[in-house]
Amino acid sequence: MSKPVLFSGIQPSGQLMIGNYIGAIKPWLAMQDDHDCLFCLVDLHAITVRQDPEQFRTQVLDALALYLACGLDADKSVLFLQSHVPQHCELAWILNCFAQIGQLNRMTQFKDKSQKHADNINAGLFTYPILMAADILLYQTQKVPVGHDQKQHLELARDLAIRFNHYHGNIFSIPEPNIPEHGARIMSLQDPSKKMSKSDDNENSVIRLLDMPDIIVKKLKRSVTDSENNIIYDPKNQPGVANLLTLLALASDQSIAECESQLAGKGYGALKTQTAEAIVAMLAPLQSSYQAIREDELALLSILQRGAEQASQRARHTLQKAQQALGMITL
Ligand code: AQP
């Protein structure tokens, strides 16, 4: 029996951070063996925000090397770059003609990013979720493991697939989100009311996958908690403490209740130290293998070449089905 198709991706819009790891990459690793996986670096999404060209090229290869250092395996999964498969843009145009402006207007990420980049509210930022729908639907994807912030975009992808199928027959699989129960929304260390983001301007708010242990300890020490000095998991009233408990639990493979009871009667200093130690230990294996992988740029490019060929073959098939369903003449 064929394995369920799984697609997911990360924007190479900065150095990857633990939210991307916990909310996306870690769940991907758990599914890599029993799913037909495609893991993409969505570089076309990343350019909705201005990128420095030289730095961007480096960031893309850094992110691919991190995928591999985390344990994604090019022999088991298709690893590729979105811009290497032009069918993503071609299907996005078709889906543009099925997406309703009203629905796009409700996308919270567009509102957040428009505020953050008020000098560059470009059309790509607005139509981003349509390109994301094309990314997913091109591969007849059944499962999309993502963090909580992508839930709304995924609902749009489902709606577009259902609408297209309604008018033109059964062309696309309807994808299901796969959102982890805990860790789907790791919060900023400096402002626990907003999610941790790799492109946050405040370096102290984010732990990057390649941060050295002393930096991780420093960032955790500076993290915002509160004045209650009470270590309980209460995201509504103590969001900073709840975020640290979530990180500690996930990094040390324990439940949040176990972490709470271990820390009962202790202060926030102990919570921060233990969380930092657990994160350092979680990241140590990938950090130790990263450098050698990153240095072999030829090997990285050849993985991208192979991934592009594998993905294109599948993408061409779905795009042609959609075009023919619309009555377009395909050659
Ligand atoms: N804070 C987070 N907690 C849990 N999961 C998260 N993800 C992102 N932030 C968190 C998940 O990581 C995957 C890749 O996200 P993305 O790079 O495509 O875009 P994003 O969601 O906008 O992530 P960033 O880091 O905030 O990027 P920038 O700063 O460039 O906008 C997704 O599955 C996402 O849910």
Side-chain angles (χ1 to χ4, degrees):
M1 228 172 68
S2 58
K3 296 175 181 176
V5 180
L6 182 155
F7 175 94
S8 200
I10 294 183
Q11 296 182 70
S13 46
Q15 201 195 93
L16 306 198
M17 48 90 191
I18 49 168
N20 303 133
Y21 182 71
I22 290 172
I25 299 177
K26 214 171 160 208
W28 298 354
L29 292 170
M31 294 190 268
Q32 188 171 223
D33 286 327
D34 49 10
H35 289 76
D36 173 11
C37 297
L38 297 110
F39 297 119
C40 190
L41 281 164
V42 286
D43 55 344
L44 296 171
H45 285 289
I47 60 165
T48 52
V49 167
R50 298 243 184 277
Q51 305 288 342
D52 171 76
E54 207 171 309
Q55 205 177 315
F56 190 47
R57 184 184 187 280
T58 305
Q59 270 167 212
V60 171
L61 294 174
D62 291 351
L64 176 64
L66 273 172
Y67 271 16
L68 299 166
C70 288
L72 296 180
D73 182 343
D75 289 329
K76 292 182 183 171
S77 303
V78 180
L79 305 182
F80 71 108
L81 200 54
Q82 185 187 29
S83 62
H84 288 169
V85 183
Q87 288 81 6
H88 287 245
C89 293
E90 292 181 70
L91 182 61
W93 177 257
I94 291 176
L95 296 177
N96 257 286
C97 304
F98 284 78
Q100 302 301 306
I101 293 285
Q103 196 172 9
L104 291 178
N105 273 332
R106 290 194 291 276
M107 296 291 143
T108 54
Q109 192 180 75
F110 173 68
K111 291 180 197 162
D112 293 347
K113 290 210 167 170
S114 311
Q115 266 178 6
K116 195 169 164 198
H117 304 280
D119 59 337
N120 181 24
I121 307 176
N122 60 72
L125 207 54
F126 187 63
T127 56
Y128 177 119
I130 302 175
L131 179 58
M132 178 167 156
D135 300 339
I136 295 166
L137 301 182
L138 263 184
Y139 301 101
Q140 304 296 349
T141 302
Q142 287 146 292
K143 283 195 196 168
V144 188
V146 282
H148 189 268
D149 63 317
Q150 295 298 333
K151 190 168 178 263
Q152 200 185 24
H153 289 168
L154 201 67
E155 273 157 17
L156 179 88
R158 285 172 57 84
D159 289 350
L160 288 174
I162 291 168
R163 194 170 302 142
F164 191 100
N165 286 355
H166 170 76
Y167 288 109
H168 298 291
N170 202 12
I171 303 300
F172 299 117
S173 295
I174 311 299
E176 291 288 339
N178 201 296
I179 298 175
E181 196 187 336
H182 290 290
R185 194 166 163 81
I186 300 297
M187 309 310 279
S188 152
L189 296 182
Q190 289 299 312
D191 177 0
S193 69
K194 64 174 205 191
K195 81 170 189 107
M196 188 181 283
S197 251
K198 70 174 104 57
S199 59
D200 199 310
D201 297 331
N202 183 347
E203 251 325 280
N204 283 323
S205 70
V206 34
I207 296 179
R208 303 198 179 271
L209 297 190
L210 296 176
D211 276 350
M212 288 291 102
D214 58 322
I215 301 291
I216 295 174
V217 170
K218 231 184 255 170
K219 288 182 178 176
L220 260 299
K221 265 193 189 147
R222 290 178 185 156
S223 65
V224 169
T225 46
D226 52 50
S227 52
E228 305 277 322
N229 224 19
N230 187 15
I231 304 180
I232 51 162
Y233 183 77
D234 179 359
K236 197 157 169 245
N237 298 309
Q238 294 184 250
V241 172
N243 193 36
L244 296 190
L245 276 170
T246 303
L247 284 171
L248 174 58
L250 291 164
S252 59
D253 276 327
Q254 299 180 88
S255 69
I256 288 179
E258 280 169 329
C259 297
E260 274 175 329
S261 70
Q262 257 171 36
L263 285 156
K266 296 189 179 156
Y268 289 162
L271 171 64
K272 291 177 175 184
T273 309
Q274 283 196 25
T275 306
E277 282 168 3
I279 293 173
V280 167
M282 174 177 78
L283 299 180
L286 74 91
Q287 291 190 349
S288 69
S289 55
Y290 172 79
Q291 208 50 45
I293 297 172
R294 179 64 183 89
E295 274 164 18
D296 193 349
E297 225 168 274
L298 276 181
L300 293 176
L301 293 174
S302 116
I303 285 175
L304 289 180
Q305 177 73 42
R306 175 151 66 116
E309 283 159 15
Q310 292 169 322
S312 296
Q313 203 182 18
R314 296 168 68 158
R316 268 198 301 271
H317 181 70
T318 303
L319 179 67
Q320 205 170 60
K321 258 174 78 177
Q323 289 169 328
Q324 286 170 354
L326 287 165
M328 292 165 77
I329 296 169
T330 57
L331 298 173

